[in-house]
Amino acid sequence: MLVIGADGLLGRFVVEALRAHGSVRFVAGADGADASGSPAIARLIADADPDTVVHLGLEPRPSKAGGRAAMKERNVIGTMQVLAACSRAPGLHRLVVKSSGAVYGCAPRDPALFAEDTPPHQPPTSGYGKDVAEAEGYVRGFARRRPDVAVSVLRFAPFAGPGVASPLLDYLTMPVVPTVLGYDPRLQFVHIDDAVRAMVLAAVGAHPGTYNVAADGALLLSQITRRLGRPTFPVVSFGAGFFGGLIRRAGVTDFTPDQVALVRYGRVLDTARIKARLGWEPRYTTAQALRAHAEAVGLTPVVPGWTKGY
Amino acid sequence: MGEVSPGGWEDKAARGLAFLRRRLNGEYEVDDFGFDPDLNDHVLMNVLRPLYEKYFRVGVSGIENVPAEGGALIVANHSGTVPVDALMTQVALLDHHPARRHLRMLAADLVFTLPFVGELSRKMGHTLACNPDAERLLRGGEVVAVFPEGFKGVGKPFSQRYRLQRFGRGGFVSAALRTGVPIIPVSIVGAEEIYPKIADLKPLARLMGLPYFPITPTFPLLGPLGLVPLPTKWHIAFGEPIPTSGYEPGAADDPMLVFDLTDRVRETIQDTLYRLLLQRRSVFF
């Protein structure tokens, strides 16, 4: 079993969980950055001839990948290289890909919940969402070429929980949270432990298909800021660029246009399919996942008396 | 020192404070659609209630046709230039139904693109008019309301009042068939005269991205004063439920059956409207 992108938090936890899982004989991890450009990953797959490949290499943060161009390279070209190597691995039976709910984009004209087969009203045209959509396209192509391989794609809600760092969480924990005036989006998270369990379930059993992975329940942005004890500062939006720039200047460097759309229109995933087919049940609701996160980072409410904390 | 009766001002103050504390701490629940029952029941409905009771003096009949539990699909005529009729139906069901049921409205996509309006709409339990949302709510046992005339209904000229417009493609019927919930035809009298739309400034509407730009005898002539609706007397009649559970699976994909049921619902509403209009003494009393 080979885990690509084992250097990230999810990767480390997944490798650990797979090692702890009795039925897995050998788990190898590879750096996410290896996937892009270098032939190392192709050689690794050819040498190891793994039974299962878990691809966690998709990187949502431009700063971590070394800029937007490098991020796209790593996400799209990297995925293509992994798939190319996989298509030549004769012993491969399973491919599990970590994807993201970002693939649905967010628009006011979308249904309240995204199911796996909901066509997005406005497919993402830039940033991480577009990378993910393109990577998923190549994965579907691979699944057609190699019908003998069970390909599972897991679309995750944003992570929360101990150790998780993301621009969205940085934004929500700013001392004063700027919001887009007139919008109160529904946000949903998934606890990192629940995400790891979903990854492991997909990796050790053959469950071809696409699955949404998210905690139960949604919270409104206003509700999150109140629970975290953060005052909000509604901003008249002169386009996404203005709002995004404001947040980036305030220190959340990776607050991309996707995220601006998310905190304006929100996104909730329907998780009926993964619950029915993989038997996965989240142990944390969205509210509990956020609470666990706030406790782990030791967040103190900015507005005393407004809230007990979280 | 007199004793404080339950429901006295101290009780009210305590409840008000508890509400404020909940709001400030974010300790209330919203569902996946963004419905905030705490805010809806304690604030938003209170804002609408005077309009319902004092201004339009809404009369209600047949509310027992809405089941006390489980899903049901309410189908009503739509009118009035501004969709106040939908909100009044929501108040009717919450205040006058024995089970105090929440009405989950299916609204046009325009609503959710507008700031403030879209936010409030979701908090009131409305969602986008599309089959996945409708079926999810109905399966969850909610009472869902749909106005199949859409903008053709709300924005119809005054001369067309109480004449039902085309009923779309019957998507609401297939949603009811798929979930097996009864369809309850609802006829609303009084809403069609609140803003008598005598003309439509189409170029301005296109410029603003609106489906129409209404001209009424008072708007925009009298400016903001023209936004005050006429104080008509309303009646909301909930009709006999039309069952949809007796059909075989796959009935929702049978276009003939869907068209038949759509026509039946439409005719029921239209006939009831004409009957109620005959009984009405005056538009305002």
Side-chain angles (χ1 to χ4, degrees):
Chain A
M1 196 174 279
L2 180 69
V3 179
I4 298 161
D7 52 333
L9 182 76
L10 181 71
R12 286 205 307 276
F13 285 166
V14 166
V15 169
E16 221 169 87
L18 284 172
R19 283 200 176 125
H21 195 275
S23 61
V24 182
R25 268 186 302 137
F26 173 69
V27 182
D31 225 31
D34 286 351
S36 58
S38 75
I41 208 82
R43 229 179 298 128
L44 184 63
I45 291 177
D47 290 349
D49 191 20
D51 168 72
T52 304
V53 168
V54 180
H55 178 37
L56 308 174
L58 293 177
E59 173 57 57
R61 280 159 297 181
S63 71
K64 204 143 179 264
R68 171 71 189 119
M71 167 185 160
K72 189 175 175 70
E73 174 98 345
R74 174 169 168 178
N75 288 342
V76 181
I77 313 290
T79 300
M80 284 174 79
Q81 266 160 349
V82 169
L83 294 173
C86 283
S87 62
R88 294 217 179 154
L92 188 71
H93 288 108
R94 252 172 258 152
L95 172 67
V96 183
V97 180
K98 175 209 144 192
S99 176
S100 160
V103 73
Y104 298 112
C106 1
R109 290 165 192 225
D110 284 315
L113 277 83
F114 288 99
E116 287 82 351
D117 45 13
T118 306
H121 205 280
Q122 261 170 38
T125 51
S126 66
Y128 184 54
K130 192 180 180 211
D131 290 2
V132 172
E134 283 180 13
E136 274 201 17
Y138 292 119
V139 172
R140 275 193 295 277
F142 171 83
R144 274 195 300 277
R145 283 194 308 279
R146 283 286 300 265
D148 57 315
V149 178
V151 179
S152 326
V153 175
L154 271 61
R155 292 175 179 164
F156 288 97
F159 297 138
V164 179
S166 74
L168 182 63
L169 288 168
D170 289 349
Y171 162 75
L172 292 174
T173 50
M174 283 165 78
V176 176
V177 180
T179 60
V180 186
L181 183 71
Y183 294 89
D184 198 4
R186 295 160 296 136
L187 297 176
Q188 190 186 30
F189 287 88
V190 63
H191 194 281
I192 187 83
D193 294 353
D194 286 331
V196 170
R197 280 194 304 114
M199 254 358 259
V200 170
L201 277 174
V204 298
H207 303 284
T210 305
Y211 303 95
N212 288 338
V213 190
D216 289 335
L219 290 176
L220 298 178
L221 176 58
S222 60
Q223 213 178 353
I224 293 176
T225 53
R226 284 169 195 172
R227 287 190 185 199
L228 298 181
R230 257 73 199 134
T232 55
F233 176 65
V235 178
V236 181
S237 175
F238 304 105
F242 172 77
F243 187 76
L246 183 82
I247 310 281
R248 279 193 296 276
R249 269 198 301 281
V252 186
T253 41
D254 281 334
F255 206 78
T256 52
D258 310 38
Q259 256 129 6
V260 177
L262 184 66
V263 300
R264 185 167 182 174
Y265 300 119
R267 186 190 303 127
V268 182
L269 308 181
D270 176 8
T271 53
R273 187 186 279 178
I274 188 170
K275 286 174 180 167
R277 293 204 201 151
L278 270 70
W280 175 83
E281 278 295 333
R283 291 188 185 145
Y284 295 82
T285 63
T286 288
Q288 287 163 343
L290 259 179
R291 188 189 182 123
H293 183 84
E295 277 169 8
V297 297
L299 195 70
T300 45
V302 174
V303 208
W306 269 28
T307 160
K308 295 191 290 288
Y310 4 87
Chain B
M1 285 289 152
E3 288 200 2
V4 178
S5 59
W9 68 270
E10 281 193 10
D11 246 31
K12 274 190 187 153
R15 272 204 305 274
L17 279 177
F19 172 75
L20 271 182
R21 190 171 315 119
R22 272 202 309 279
R23 298 313 296 183
L24 289 178
N25 291 350
E27 280 167 0
Y28 45 89
E29 301 299 323
V30 300
D31 71 2
D32 287 346
F33 295 84
F35 177 38
D36 185 343
D38 191 42
L39 183 73
N40 184 65
D41 296 5
H42 294 110
V43 177
L44 302 176
M45 286 295 126
N46 289 347
V47 173
L48 292 173
R49 204 162 281 128
L51 206 61
Y52 176 94
E53 285 173 356
K54 300 279 171 1
Y55 199 78
F56 295 127
R57 296 146 289 145
V58 184
V60 172
S61 62
I63 198 134
E64 66 283 355
N65 287 321
V66 181
E69 53 185 35
L73 182 66
I74 282 177
V75 183
N77 59 311
H78 211 10
S79 61
T81 311
V82 178
V84 189
D85 47 358
L87 302 176
M88 292 299 114
T89 314
Q90 192 169 358
V91 179
L93 209 61
L94 187 67
D95 285 4
H96 298 283
H97 195 278
R100 288 183 63 81
R101 298 212 65 173
H102 286 122
L103 188 60
R104 309 301 297 268
M105 213 82 64
L106 300 182
D109 48 9
L110 175 71
V111 167
F112 299 102
T113 58
L114 298 173
F116 300 109
V117 179
E119 178 190 337
L120 269 179
S121 194
R122 281 223 173 270
K123 286 181 180 171
M124 291 179 90
H126 309 169
T127 190
L128 186 75
C130 62
N131 273 34
D133 281 12
E135 285 168 32
R136 192 182 298 277
L137 283 168
L138 290 170
R139 260 193 214 102
E142 302 280 352
V143 186
V144 177
V146 64
F147 299 84
E149 292 173 274
F151 284 121
K152 299 185 298 296
V154 211
K156 68 188 157 195
F158 190 59
S159 58
Q160 292 284 312
R161 62 193 181 280
Y162 299 114
R163 275 186 223 152
L164 283 189
Q165 305 294 303
R166 199 167 55 79
F167 255 28
R169 282 164 285 186
F172 69 93
V173 169
S174 43
L177 280 167
R178 274 201 197 97
T179 50
V181 302
I183 297 177
I184 299 160
V186 171
S187 315
I188 304 170
V189 166
E192 312 234 354
E193 288 102 351
I194 58 170
Y195 292 110
K197 186 184 127 188
I198 48 179
D200 183 359
L201 275 186
K202 284 211 170 66
L204 193 58
R206 259 200 301 279
L207 200 69
M208 297 170 71
L210 298 172
Y212 49 84
F213 189 91
I215 304 292
T216 72
T218 54
F219 181 82
L221 195 65
L222 299 185
L225 204 63
L227 295 174
V228 177
L230 296 179
T232 53
K233 162 91 178 127
W234 287 32
H235 188 89
I236 303 178
F238 292 83
E240 295 268 329
I242 299 170
T244 61
S245 53
Y247 301 94
E248 64 243 50
D253 300 316
D254 175 1
M256 267 325 280
L257 177 66
V258 171
F259 280 133
D260 275 357
L261 272 172
T262 310
D263 279 348
R264 208 172 126 198
V265 175
R266 192 173 179 278
E267 273 161 28
T268 312
I269 298 173
Q270 184 71 79
D271 291 350
T272 315
L273 280 175
Y274 285 145
R275 190 166 50 76
L276 290 171
L277 285 173
L278 282 176
Q279 292 167 1
R280 179 162 77 158
R281 281 173 296 151
S282 122
V283 176
F284 297 104
F285 301 102

